[in-house]
Amino acid sequence: MNYPLWEVPFLGGAGVIGIIASIHVFLSHFAVGGGIFFALTERWAFNSGDNRIYDYLKKHSLFFLIVTTVFGVVTGVGIWWAISLCSPNGTHTLIQTYTLAWAIEYLFFVTEIATFFVYFYSWDKIPRKTHLRLADAYAILSIFTLLVINGILTFMLTPGGWLTSRNWVDGFFNAAYVPATGMRLIGMLALAGLYALVTASRLRDEAFRVRMLRYAAKWFLPIFFLGPLLAIWIALILPQAPLDIIQNGLSTAASGTFSLMARAMVLSVFLSAALLLMVFVGPYLNARYFSPRAAAALMVVGLLTVGMMEWTREMMRKPYVVYNYMYVNGIRKDEIPAMNRDGATAHARWIAKDLKGEALGSELFRAQCMSCHNKQGYRGMDKLLGERDVAAIRGLLQVMRETDPAKSPYVKIMPPLAGTDAEVDALAAYLSTLNAANRKNEPQLAQR
């Protein structure tokens, strides 16, 4: 615990990261899929000599430039800002482990952006064949950014041999790397088609508009045919714990214990299927009646789908930020015994060592709970604790200190609580002040 966490009222740090990350993924995946879209569509225009396709691509490239280099870059900076403040230890680990990979990715990213600026400003100024080569170059560079980033993202869920070797190559080329790369790539192609529907729906030549709308809809074909197969492949190599939680959540849904992870997965599947069906029925079968408003509505559904899928991926990694190595609160798995022996505060550089009672409990809450929970609002402790008094909260916290799944039902979804008995008492005293309003007929507030 080298760094304190940023306290965000009501929404929490996890909520801030989730919102920015969902928007950024929706934009950045378009940057990769859009690059392939430009390369293949311009080759179609070059081979057919159809100037209408060239004119469409010129307008689409302006839309692409604004979306990816303005909003995409801003949200990219935003996600680094958010994870640095809300998950500093996890960010520290990713930077230290993959310094070389980040440097390579940054090189590809800068070159990719520069290439697209040349591509955009060279319309009608260089030979068409040369311009087509620029489109190919941009597509290749954008794919390389995916290949680098996806190794780091999949490492967080399936770190594989890195856990023992600490060799970054072992973690980068992990078991999920190939299927997850394939899944993201076909998702990017679908997003390229989704964004193309927006610009194609505004074309004035009716026959050409219908032609381009159907063309854009066909970019969903790869994810329609290959998506289920890649999803099964990914499920086969996931850790057993999240699979058990999903299975239990689905099997017990009827009795009212539909787990959050199971809900997220079901919503992801439902939204993905709904989006595919709407694209098939709308711009593909009824392109003549497909309007810009309908395209905007599909964009909203697409953003929700991407957000839900990213949330599901994050949920599957819980309670870790790097699976089986570092918990979501930034505490390494191998630090727990020492923290139980010496006290959590002894291993937190930013917590004053002379704190006691509720003041100490407040800092322990910030260090071990606040990465997922807030005082009030989203995952608020006031509601989760209900009407428990100090003794009941203390008993709950003692259960959460267990690392044996047979003794604690929280082990698979939450980090174990680390600290001494005195620190647990201090945390219980502090938590009892958060739900004080919920407790009726309580003669006194928590003991101090």
Side-chain angles (χ1 to χ4, degrees), residues 146-147 150-151 154 158 172-185 230 233-234 237:
L146 163 67
L147 297 179
N150 201 51
T154 53
T158 51
F172 189 89
F173 295 106
N174 57 79
Y177 180 76
V178 172
T181 301
M183 180 64 89
R184 284 194 181 273
L185 186 59
L230 288 169
W233 186 355
I234 293 172
I237 57 178

Side-chain angles (χ1 to χ4, degrees), residues 27-106:
L27 299 174
S28 63
H29 281 34
F30 173 46
V32 177
I36 301 171
F37 181 87
F38 278 111
L40 295 182
T41 308
E42 187 165 347
R43 187 167 298 282
W44 176 29
F46 182 81
N47 292 333
S48 65
D50 192 333
N51 287 327
R52 293 177 302 174
I53 303 175
Y54 275 112
D55 291 339
Y56 166 74
L57 284 177
K58 290 174 194 173
K59 295 177 181 176
H60 189 64
S61 63
L62 175 60
F63 174 69
F64 182 90
L65 184 72
I66 295 172
V67 170
T68 59
T69 63
V70 177
F71 299 107
V73 171
V74 168
T75 55
V77 174
I79 193 62
W80 273 107
W81 168 77
I83 64 171
S84 299
L85 293 175
C86 302
S87 183
N89 290 294
T91 306
H92 176 99
T93 298
L94 291 182
I95 291 176
Q96 277 209 322
T97 306
Y98 288 106
T99 304
L100 179 59
W102 288 118
I104 293 172
E105 193 276 337
Y106 185 73

Side-chain angles (χ1 to χ4, degrees), residues 6 61 97 116 149 183 197 211 215 219 242 258 276 290 335 346 391 407 409 442:
W6 180 37
S61 63
T97 306
F116 193 79
I149 287 291
M183 180 64 89
L197 289 175
R211 185 182 179 193
Y215 173 75
W219 283 72
F258 197 17
L276 287 171
F290 189 75
E335 289 181 304
K407 298 180 180 178
E442 184 76 19

